[in-house]
Amino acid sequence: MPDTIEQLLEDDKSFEGFSRAQIAMVVTNPHLEDNPIVYVNQAFTRSTGYARSASIGRNCRFLQGEGTKKADVDKLRAGIEAEDTVSVDILNYRANGDPFTNRLIVAPVQDDQGRTQYFVGIQKELRQGEMSSSAEDIHAQLIEIQNRVASDLSMIIAMIRQQTGATSVPEDFAALSRRIETLQLLYEEMKLSDQQSNRDSIQMGSYLSRLAAAIGHVEGRSGIRLSIQIEPLEVPIETATRVGLVLSELLTNALQHAFDRIENGLVEVRMSRLSAGGLRLIVSDDGVGIPSGMQWPDTRTMGGRIVAGLIEGLEGTLHLGRGAAGSFITIDVPAGATLSDE
């Protein structure tokens, strides 16, 4: 497998405590030989018994066994080859050999040119008693989750391509994994796995607080403090998607790069409602700071293009400031982004 797959296997272990969703999710890359898995969430590892290191880099067929119906496998293969959304109830096998029935929905994730870059698989074990009327409710629930995931991943892919003219998306799977985890925390906040998927807004304070704490746990180190001050706001889901991804990029960048050769430091995350409506997000550090004369976000990098695209989609503004120590980045999102207090 390519080096990037090995990098993902190494990096992805740090996300083991990141998400608690009940819906299993996998992402595969059809541009690599045999369309291997490049991402699985914790729900997948719990359901199947296969660790991430035993899943990533393999085609999903390793879950099949002697009782798996050929007709179900053929249906999946035909949908993937046609790059269509396909749904099937298929008999799979856990790592210990126990069989279970999976309600599986696989859909293509396309870029802005309509080219398939990934496939996302959403799956839920059908337990006894869920094979009749409740199965239809489960199916509708999974379809909505799948649509949300595919839409959000397509948005990320489009922004990666923006301003580059690239014909393909860079294979930075470790960063892709983090961005999917960021989205997954949003899906949990929407409580999609608990049949509360019809709301069109979420509690932003709760979401960003969990997101910042999770990233701090993954990217932080001894001596670096993380302060989180986030006001309660309710926002439309589309706003939450973009602001959450912005925070993920900014906070990860600060924790990874702001304290090079510095033992102690502080990163602060603040979000507040603007008096005229809208919201302000500030990520600051007292580390080495972004060098003077350096343009940020740097649209030559994947993260920079994503931040620029997200802020453009929010119709927001970004201001980079430099203090006596470190840097601070202020994102203002105009009125219409917020709804009401939590």
Side-chain angles (χ1 to χ4, degrees), residues 129-202:
E130 293 180 334
M131 303 296 185
S132 55
S133 59
S134 62
E136 292 306 315
D137 293 334
I138 292 172
H139 184 77
Q141 178 189 4
L142 293 180
I143 284 288
E144 182 159 359
I145 297 172
Q146 172 264 308
N147 288 339
R148 180 84 241 177
V149 174
S151 174
D152 289 341
L153 290 182
S154 293
M155 177 184 70
I156 293 175
I157 290 170
M159 287 184 294
I160 291 172
R161 291 170 52 85
Q162 190 177 24
Q163 302 174 3
T164 68
T167 57
S168 63
V169 176
E171 301 291 2
D172 188 349
F173 292 123
L176 175 66
S177 177
R178 172 175 55 80
R179 288 158 188 145
I180 296 173
E181 298 282 6
T182 297
L183 294 172
Q184 192 168 316
L185 281 177
L186 173 65
Y187 306 146
E188 290 178 30
E189 201 64 40
M190 293 164 64
K191 299 187 184 301
L192 288 172
S193 59
D194 294 326
Q195 297 183 341
Q196 297 184 25
S197 57
N198 293 324
R199 295 183 300 169
D200 58 3
S201 64
I202 71 161

Side-chain angles (χ1 to χ4, degrees), residues 306-317:
I306 286 179
V307 169
L310 290 167
I311 293 173
E312 180 181 355
L314 288 164
E315 298 182 350
T317 60

